[in-house]
Amino acid sequence: MIFDSNYDLKDESETLRLAKGIASHLYPGMNLYLRGELGAGKTTFVRGILRGFGYQDKVKSPTYTLVESYSLEGFTIYHFDLYRFKNETEWDDAGFREHFKNTSICLVEWPEKAGHILPKPDISIELSHRALGRHLRLIAYTALGTECLKAII
Ligand SMILES: Nc1ncnc2c1ncn2[C@@H]1O[C@H](COP(=O)(O)OP(=O)(O)OP(=O)(O)O)[C@@H](O)[C@H]1O
Ligand SMILES: [Mg+2]
């Protein structure tokens, strides 16, 4: 960890607003992990990022397909939900490894299910339930991730 920041988000709209703010400081080639228990708000955060890039359609949770892709201007966002991830063979056969490249941004829910096969993230987004709303911790692991977090404070 090289930098971290914490937020209390009292409702869904605050989660979306913060995610939109982050989107304007993300670049192709970056990888973000989203951690937190079921219903913590990971997919909501992804929706906020996509809204930040101007994507207005439905954002489906890729629970069964493992990944959903969004073609934006000049790059692609891949949204993974690895809750049902089985094994490395399936990962390679489906070509998921090739999605991590410098013309895409990868947003990964449940990265812990795939363990060591994922590249390290620029930023980890950790959501947890609170009596009112959610607590959010952002942790940067790279220089690019740190720049992004510093820009939104
Ligand atoms: N800050 C917040 N305060 C209260 N509710 C929130 C907040 N952010 C998101 N939510 C709500 O939490 C619910 C679950 O959100 P979401 O589907 O994004 O969770 P998830 O972490 O992706 O779950 P899963 O692990 O099942 O994929 C949604 O109803 C959403 O509106
Ligand atoms: Mg989800």
Side-chain angles (χ1 to χ4, degrees), residues 77-148:
I77 287 187
Y78 292 101
H79 172 206
F80 291 91
D81 181 338
L82 302 183
Y83 192 70
R84 288 169 200 280
F85 176 81
K86 287 193 203 72
N87 57 56
E88 209 163 317
T89 310
E90 179 195 21
W91 181 264
D92 285 329
D93 290 351
F96 291 157
R97 205 179 289 275
E98 285 94 74
H99 292 345
F100 293 81
K101 57 191 175 209
N102 61 14
T103 51
S104 62
I105 294 176
C106 287
L107 310 173
V108 188
E109 291 186 46
W110 295 103
E112 57 272 42
K113 301 271 182 182
H116 61 284
I117 72 171
L118 294 173
K120 79 168 177 178
D122 293 283
I123 298 170
S124 170
I125 296 153
E126 304 189 352
L127 285 145
S128 47
H129 287 83
R130 287 291 184 273
L132 184 68
R134 304 286 188 271
H135 183 77
L136 179 90
R137 184 173 180 212
L138 298 173
I139 306 168
Y141 293 97
T142 63
L144 265 181
T146 301
E147 270 179 49
C148 172

Side-chain angles (χ1 to χ4, degrees), residues 4-75:
D4 82 326
S5 48
N6 290 268
Y7 298 84
D8 284 304
L9 307 168
K10 68 176 191 311
D11 57 24
E12 185 191 274
S13 69
E14 291 199 355
T15 304
L16 292 169
R17 177 145 37 99
L18 185 69
K20 270 189 186 179
I22 285 192
S24 48
H25 301 284
L26 293 181
Y27 300 96
M30 290 176 81
N31 301 317
L32 276 60
Y33 287 1
L34 296 114
R35 301 177 183 276
E37 60 200 50
L38 289 167
K42 302 179 292 298
T43 301
T44 304
F45 200 91
V46 168
R47 179 154 45 94
I49 289 177
L50 284 162
R51 295 284 182 265
F53 282 112
Y55 179 84
Q56 292 302 337
D57 290 347
K58 197 169 154 44
V59 174
K60 285 187 284 177
S61 186
T63 310
Y64 293 95
T65 53
L66 297 188
V67 69
E68 200 64 57
S69 64
Y70 301 88
S71 292
L72 304 172
E73 270 173 51
F75 68 103

